[in-house]
Structure formats: structure tokens, C-alpha cells
Amino acid sequence: MKDSINQTAHEKLVNRPPRIRDLVGYFLRLGTFGFGGPVALCGLMEKDLVQERGWLTKQEMRDAIAVSQSLPGPLAIQVGIFAAYLRGGFWGAWAGGWAFILPNFLIVAALGALYVHFGGLPWMTAIFYGVSPAVIALILHSCWRLSKLGMEDWLQWVIATVCFVVTIVFQAELAILFIGAGIIGILYYGNVIRRSKQPPSAAAMALIPLAAGATKTAAYSSTLSQLFVFFFKAGCLTFGSGLVIVPFLEKGLVQQTGWLNGREFLFAVAVGMLSPGPVVITATFVGYLVGGFWGSLVATIGIFLPSFLLILFVAPILIRHRENPNVQGFIKGAYGAAIGTILGACVLLSKIAIGDWLTVLIAICSLVVLFRWKVSYPLLVGVTAVIGLIAFPLLQPQWVLVK
């Protein structure tokens, strides 16, 4: 009886949509205090929007994560845009999405200004040393939460395992993984085998990532135009959580354009990891180093704009055909791929974050604390940052500087 009453109350909350200013207020706070990367942010949104505020149902949250993971761009921002769209419509999505991004942009642009003005941030390496293994623990803990939310049977775990292995081998998230997993989901969970035609909605969802992956952009002469083009392409071609955007950025920024050297790139990645919000906010820092404030602005717009365009195109399709078994099958298959690629990205990221006994100890202790006690993410980040500031000058780990 109690569960029935709670469920009824939850449904009433979901049926009472928040105002756009409520969405803006929530996402401003999330963008300011949401540490831990995309998976941790999705875990926070699941906790806040489903369990506490009742703005979304569990199924809507699962749909948002699965569809966002199957599209190019940063996972957390796309889930936020999707959630804002479900409760605030078109303008709610634009307002909530950019509100989510704004605090990250201001913080990282300010750090970029400090870096340029003072000729570098030597203490950033020390903070990176302490916080980065804790971030690995945050990702693992949040991935466990997400697996409880959407992993239902053996096939999803098989898909997750395959995607985990492929992500590690190729050291990147591949669009074909999500498309293939979605098609497998359609064949297994849907009714496409029992019908002569596949519904247009499922086909459209499968083709959208392909269309985005085929996007071609022309080279422009000005630095600002080049920044926008580069990061717009990154937003279109980087699939999934954004955790493995690092290899793509390193190749483009260091090897191809020469805009950054290896050490500057390390600082940029550290800023992306340490700041609240999605890891791809690294684009803001890079943009400031290359083109000042306007460079940071166009880089930020470039990296996030594809997420708005894709989510606003896909969301209406999913809402109209949510109960279609083939659409649900695509989502289940893509969700399994999401879990596998996030874990694979975690392994790749750990090669940057963990390199000695202390970072191993920080990662293990952080994981124990997260599973044993309800510790806030900013508190954990703050404590490990202090550990890094104290331990780095004492231990002087050279591997941090060469990775």
C-alpha cells in the first residue's frame, strides 16, 4: 500500500512539469557543483530528477541516457538537454542546456585567463595528481548506478562486454558499436523479424549517428573559424560519454595543428577533469589558449552545438514512438553498448590518472568511500585535491609530467 501511494505521488510530480526558470535554476546549480565527469553527472541527474524531484520517470531517464549515448557528443549535456526537452519543450531544452554549460564555461575561461596571464599553473599538476584517481572511482561508482538503472538481461551484458573490449583495443568509442548494438536490440527485443517492414522511427534512429559521422567541414583561414570547425567536428564525431575525447583532441591539437604542446594539452585535460560539468569543457580552455576569450567562446559553442541539434531532432521521434518494440529494442541494445564503452573509457583514462602506489590507494579508498558512505562529489574532489597538493612536491612523480 505504501509503495502504491509513493508511486502515485511520484506520477503526480512527473505530470506537473516544472517551469523553464526551474529548469534553468537546476541546471545552473548542476553545472556549478556537478563534479566527476559525464557518468557521475548522469548519476546525479537520475538521483535528482527521478528519485527526489520526480520530474522524470525511471523509463524516461533510461531513454534519455540510451539515446544520448548512441549519438555523438558529451553524454551528460545531451541527457540534460533531453530531460529539459521532456519537461520544458523546445525552449526549455535550449535554456536548460546552455544553463548547464554556462558555469563550466565561466570557470574554465577564467582558468584559461590565469594560465595565459601567469605563464602556467604549476599547482594544477599537483591537483591533477590527487584528483584524477578519485575521478576514476567516481566513474566506476556512477557506472554501477547506471547499470542498475538500465541493464536487464544477458544480451545487454554481452553487448557491454564486446564494446568494452573493442573500446580498449581501438582506444576510442566507435559509432558502429552503438549502431550495431541498436540493430541487435531491434532484432532481439523488437518485432522486426515478425514483420515485413521496419518502422521508420527505428530506422531513423539508427541512421542519425551515421549522418553525423559523415559530416564534412571546410577549412577556414581565421583562427576563430578553425577553432569552431575543429570543435564542431569533435562534437559530431566523438561518440558517447566524452571520456575518450582525449585521443581525438591530442591528435588534432598537438600532432596536426600544433596549437598546443604536450604539457599544455595535459593541463587542458586536467582542467576538463577538475572542473564541474562534462569533460569536453576542455574545449573552452583550449580555445582561450589559442584565441583568447572569443576563442574560448567559439570553441565552446562548436563542441556543444551538435548536441542540441541532434537531441532536438531525435527527442520528438522517441516521444512519439516510445512504446514501439523496435525503438525500445534499439534503446536496450544501445544502453548495453553505453555501459561497455564507458567502462572501456575508464580503463583508458586510468592510464593517465594512475601511475604509482599513492594514486592506486586514492582510487581504491575513493571507491570504498563512495560505496560505503553518501559522500558528496565536491567534498571527495576537494579532499583528494589537498592530498595532491601535499604529496606531489614530496613524491615528485615524473610519470605525471610525461604522460
Side-chain angles (χ1 to χ4, degrees):
M1 177 66 71
K2 184 178 179 181
D3 291 340
S4 177
I5 293 174
N6 289 337
Q7 183 178 359
T8 302
H10 183 272
E11 290 175 351
K12 288 181 179 179
L13 282 170
V14 170
N15 291 329
R16 188 184 306 146
R19 293 167 293 185
I20 289 181
R21 70 179 183 183
D22 296 327
L23 291 169
V24 169
Y26 171 75
F27 282 109
L28 280 173
R29 288 191 295 274
L30 184 64
T32 303
F33 301 107
F35 288 88
V39 186
L41 287 170
C42 287
L44 281 173
M45 282 188 275
E46 185 270 333
K47 178 174 177 289
D48 294 339
L49 302 182
V50 178
Q51 299 180 24
E52 295 183 0
R53 297 171 184 259
W55 288 357
L56 299 178
T57 66
K58 182 178 179 180
Q59 182 62 46
E60 287 173 331
M61 191 67 189
R62 287 174 55 186
D63 292 346
I65 293 171
V67 173
S68 299
Q69 184 67 62
S70 65
L71 295 171
L75 174 64
I77 290 296
Q78 289 175 326
V79 172
I81 296 170
F82 201 121
Y85 179 85
L86 290 174
R87 287 296 165 261
F90 179 85
W91 295 114
W94 282 99
W98 288 114
F100 194 178
I101 295 165
L102 179 61
N104 306 272
F105 169 75
L106 296 176
I107 291 169
V108 176
L111 290 174
L114 289 172
Y115 187 97
V116 171
H117 182 73
F118 292 107
L121 297 173
W123 49 268
M124 183 63 72
T125 304
I127 294 178
F128 173 80
Y129 176 66
V131 170
S132 53
V135 170
I136 299 299
L138 288 172
I139 295 170
L140 291 173
H141 179 257
S142 296
C143 197
W144 173 75
R145 285 176 57 92
L146 293 177
S147 67
K148 289 178 61 181
L149 179 67
M151 298 295 282
E152 298 177 352
D153 59 23
W154 65 272
L155 180 60
Q156 286 182 295
W157 284 110
V158 169
I159 292 172
T161 302
V162 172
C163 292
F164 170 76
V165 173
V166 172
T167 300
I168 293 176
V169 171
F170 288 92
Q171 298 190 17
E173 290 178 351
L174 304 177
I176 194 66
L177 291 179
F178 301 99
I179 299 168
I183 293 173
I184 291 172
I186 291 172
L187 295 175
Y188 183 79
Y189 300 107
N191 59 7
V192 69
I193 296 178
R194 296 187 295 273
R195 297 176 59 179
S196 59
K197 284 187 173 181
Q198 179 177 339
S201 55
M205 290 178 65
L207 290 174
I208 287 167
L210 286 176
T215 300
K216 302 289 184 181
T217 52
Y220 294 90
S221 57
S222 72
T223 300
L224 292 181
S225 296
Q226 291 176 21
L227 276 170
F228 179 81
V229 169
F230 175 81
F231 283 107
F232 186 85
K233 182 186 290 186
C236 288
L237 301 181
T238 305
F239 278 75
S241 64
L243 293 172
V244 291
I245 195 177
V246 173
F248 178 87
L249 294 183
E250 193 275 336
K251 181 179 180 181
L253 298 172
V254 180
Q255 299 178 30
Q256 294 179 345
T257 64
W259 283 336
L260 304 181
N261 59 39
R263 184 175 179 82
E264 289 172 333
F265 179 73
L266 177 64
F267 281 131
V269 174
V271 169
M273 292 176 62
L274 298 179
S275 63
V279 177
V280 296
I281 201 66
T282 296
T284 302
F285 190 82
V286 172
Y288 201 100
L289 296 188
V290 176
F293 173 79
W294 294 111
S296 67
L297 182 62
V298 300
T300 304
I301 294 173
I303 196 73
F304 291 115
L305 183 58
S307 296
F308 285 87
L309 300 179
L310 288 167
I311 290 298
L312 290 175
F313 177 72
V314 172
I317 298 175
L318 180 61
I319 291 172
R320 287 199 303 268
H321 303 281
R322 189 188 325 232
E323 302 304 321
N324 186 294
N326 296 314
V327 173
Q328 291 297 315
F330 183 93
I331 291 171
K332 288 182 180 181
Y335 200 99
I339 297 297
T341 52
I342 290 170
L343 289 174
C346 187
V347 172
L348 298 177
L349 201 56
S350 67
K351 296 178 181 179
I352 301 174
I354 299 175
D356 59 17
W357 67 268
L358 182 59
T359 49
V360 171
L361 184 62
I362 291 174
I364 294 174
C365 291
S366 298
L367 204 56
V368 170
V369 167
L370 288 169
F371 275 100
R372 180 66 179 83
W373 297 282
K374 293 183 178 180
V375 177
S376 67
Y377 292 165
L379 177 60
L380 181 62
V381 169
V383 170
T384 53
V386 172
I387 293 173
L389 288 170
I390 295 172
F392 186 82
L394 297 175
L395 299 178
Q396 297 184 352
Q398 295 301 309
W399 63 269
V400 177
L401 302 177
V402 299
K403 282 196 175 185

